[in-house]
Amino acid sequence: MNILFKKDTWQEIYYSLRNNKLRTFLTMIGVGWGMFLYVSLLGAAKGMENGFDKLFSGFATNSIFLFAQKTSIPYDGFPKGRELHLKLSDMDLLKQKVPAIDYISPQNSRGSFTGTAGEAMSRNGKKATYGLTGDYPVGNKISEKKLIFGRYINDADVMGNKNVVVIGEEIYKNLFDAKKNENPIGKSINIKGIFFNVIGVFRVKKGGGFESDQSAYIPLSTYTKMYNAGEQIDLFAIVGKPTADLSVVEEEVKQVLKSKNKVSPEDTNAFMSFNIGKEFKKLTGFLTGMQLLTIIVGTLTILAGVIAISNILLITVKERTKEIGIRRALGAKPAEVRNQILLESVVITLSSGLLGFMFGIFVLIILNMATQNQDTFPFYNPTVNYGNVFSAMSVMVILGLIIGMIPAQRAVKIRPIEALRTE
């Protein structure tokens, strides 16, 4: 359109906006505020999503924690209150009967989440009680430990019943000279009167995760010998295949174990579980809902602002009736008058949106700087998808054009002779 390249066009827009500074500013606030909300809230929602992704990084979110309790219903000649136990041999049975299982990690623990007392650990006269867990190497796939020294338990450690241990950072700081960054690998600590070689030290992020840096991990086979546990297992961490429905896997696992142990199918107390996948799905659904709500609120606010622009342009057209009449009398075509009003609408709309966008990005930068080095709150790297922003900007401009047609058509309908008579 030639109107875009005419100096007079832009001068007229400038003078029109300058002569109504307060009105123009208040009108622009509506659209600018809508874009600001759209960018800042969408970025903040993404920051929370990134924060939870960071918090659960290294953790298999499609997992179930399963443990046995007492029966609550008499069944097949057995009374209620019968104490049940998971067994190591149950792993093969579950993998055979429930194909949707990817892998299983058995664990035995003292302290930590079991409600039992921890185990005394000592070195060079320093002594304290910490949680102790017997684990398989696959356990590190379910909840990956961030190692600052050495390695985690491997298959050779389990097969050889080796006296090796991976300790949390808090244990390392208490039993070793952490201030001098002492390397603990290959050195021994005493656990239950037995010397264990330290093969690794792990760190737990503050305020997150399911691990504790006041715990130690040894091969499950070694743990079994230490406590004469036989085949008894405290906990199964079960990971489903990526395409599996974890709720179905959870129910199938319980039914298989109930059948093996002659437990009533209706007994909900015999085997308890915590479905991480279900809880994580609720969390991601909440975050998705937040982003959707943000888009709706921002869009409606932008729409309200664009409508306000239309109203202000209607007032402007009425005030400029005589001016429009003079232009028409001097030969201005209806299309030129219409395009002038439409262009003013687009300029106000686009300028407001850009200002809102810049302020929104500025707020996200401040939030990112304030939360960059903290781990206590799940918030990290708030960003916005620029494709979504430009799409919103395009929709905003289109709405500005559509809404601008109302005052533009009104301007076109003004007859020159009537306009010249207007006082």
Side-chain angles (χ1 to χ4, degrees):
M1 290 168 52
N2 292 333
I3 191 173
L4 293 174
F5 304 103
K6 290 181 178 180
K7 184 179 179 181
D8 292 345
T9 300
W10 297 103
Q11 285 181 337
E12 187 172 340
I13 292 174
Y14 170 74
Y15 287 122
S16 174
L17 299 181
R18 190 188 68 174
N19 292 335
N20 299 282
K21 292 178 185 177
L22 181 60
R23 184 192 299 165
T24 302
F25 173 73
L26 294 175
T27 304
M28 291 176 69
I29 285 178
V31 177
W33 180 249
M35 181 56 71
F36 171 79
L37 286 177
Y38 184 86
V39 171
S40 57
L41 293 181
L42 199 60
K46 185 63 178 177
M48 288 191 67
E49 182 180 335
N50 292 339
F52 280 109
D53 287 342
K54 183 182 177 183
L55 184 66
F56 288 100
S57 61
F59 188 85
T61 53
N62 59 329
S63 56
I64 302 164
F65 292 105
L66 179 80
F67 53 94
Q69 296 191 131
K70 294 181 179 180
T71 59
S72 59
I73 299 175
Y75 185 73
D76 200 20
F78 293 97
K80 72 175 183 178
R82 179 164 52 106
E83 191 167 353
L84 301 173
H85 298 284
L86 297 174
K87 295 183 178 179
L88 201 58
S89 58
D90 292 337
M91 289 174 58
D92 294 330
L93 176 65
L94 291 174
K95 288 179 181 177
Q96 179 185 349
K97 296 289 187 180
V98 188
I101 293 176
D102 197 0
Y103 50 88
I104 303 175
S105 172
Q107 287 187 354
N108 279 339
S109 297
R110 295 181 66 83
S112 302
F113 302 105
T114 62
T116 59
E119 193 59 76
M121 303 182 192
S122 61
R123 180 178 184 269
N124 295 341
K126 299 177 181 178
K127 184 177 181 181
T129 300
Y130 298 105
L132 181 66
T133 298
D135 199 10
Y136 271 7
V138 71
N140 202 39
K141 291 175 64 177
I142 295 175
S143 182
E144 185 179 359
K145 285 78 177 171
K146 184 179 180 181
L147 294 167
I148 55 177
F149 289 105
R151 64 173 176 85
Y152 197 65
I153 298 164
N154 61 27
D155 290 329
D157 298 328
V158 176
M159 295 295 292
N161 300 330
K162 293 183 180 180
N163 293 344
V164 293
V165 62
V166 180
I167 60 176
E169 188 177 21
E170 190 63 30
I171 302 176
Y172 163 69
K173 288 178 179 179
N174 189 28
L175 302 183
F176 294 88
D177 193 347
K179 292 182 178 179
K180 293 184 179 180
N181 202 32
E182 181 182 0
N183 190 342
I185 305 304
K187 297 177 181 178
S188 298
I189 63 173
N190 189 302
I191 304 176
K192 200 174 182 286
I194 302 171
F195 285 98
F196 281 77
N197 286 328
V198 177
I199 60 172
V201 179
F202 66 90
R203 173 178 294 157
V204 174
K205 289 178 288 188
K206 294 179 181 179
F210 291 85
E211 306 294 341
S212 168
D213 57 7
Q214 297 188 33
S215 58
Y217 291 82
I218 63 176
L220 181 62
S221 55
T222 307
Y223 183 101
T224 300
K225 286 179 63 178
M226 282 177 64
Y227 295 99
N228 195 27
E231 272 216 330
Q232 185 173 316
I233 298 297
D234 294 334
L235 173 77
F236 278 156
I238 302 172
V239 178
K241 292 180 178 178
T243 57
D245 184 334
L246 273 183
S247 296
V248 174
V249 172
E250 181 181 19
E251 187 58 33
E252 288 180 351
V253 164
K254 289 181 180 179
Q255 290 304 326
V256 169
L257 292 174
K258 286 177 183 178
S259 177
K260 179 196 171 186
N261 292 277
K262 299 187 183 304
V263 175
S264 169
E266 307 302 320
D267 195 330
T268 57
N269 190 69
F271 295 98
M272 299 295 291
S273 59
F274 183 66
N275 192 326
I276 297 292
K278 185 188 294 183
E279 300 305 315
F280 192 75
K281 193 172 182 180
K282 289 179 183 177
L283 176 62
T284 54
F286 168 73
L287 294 174
T288 301
M290 275 187 61
Q291 293 185 2
L292 180 60
L293 181 62
T294 298
I295 291 173
I296 293 172
V297 170
T299 302
L300 291 177
T301 309
I302 290 171
L303 179 60
V306 172
I307 292 173
I309 289 174
S310 173
N311 291 332
I312 209 68
L313 287 175
L314 280 170
I315 297 171
T316 302
V317 168
K318 187 175 181 181
E319 290 177 348
R320 295 166 60 189
T321 299
K322 190 169 184 178
E323 174 196 330
I324 293 170
I326 294 172
R327 291 185 62 188
R328 292 291 306 277
L330 292 176
K333 297 179 180 178
E336 292 178 351
V337 176
R338 182 191 302 114
N339 292 340
Q340 179 71 33
I341 302 299
L342 287 176
L343 191 55
E344 286 186 28
S345 175
V346 170
V347 167
I348 296 174
T349 305
L350 192 56
S351 300
S352 306
L354 288 173
L355 285 172
F357 170 76
M358 288 188 290
F359 276 113
I361 293 296
F362 177 73
V363 167
L364 293 181
I365 291 172
I366 297 299
L367 283 174
N368 187 46
M369 292 172 62
T371 59
Q372 202 163 27
N373 298 316
Q374 62 84 36
D375 294 314
T376 56
F377 183 72
F379 192 88
Y380 173 73
N381 191 25
T383 56
V384 290
N385 186 318
Y386 288 109
N388 290 341
V389 173
F390 289 130
S391 297
M393 200 81 77
S394 299
V395 170
M396 186 176 63
V397 172
I398 292 170
L399 285 173
L401 281 170
I402 295 172
I403 298 296
M405 283 296 295
I406 298 172
Q409 284 299 112
R410 181 169 178 174
V412 168
K413 290 179 179 179
I414 297 175
R415 294 183 179 180
I417 190 66
E418 294 176 358
L420 292 172
R421 291 174 181 170
T422 303
E423 294 296 333

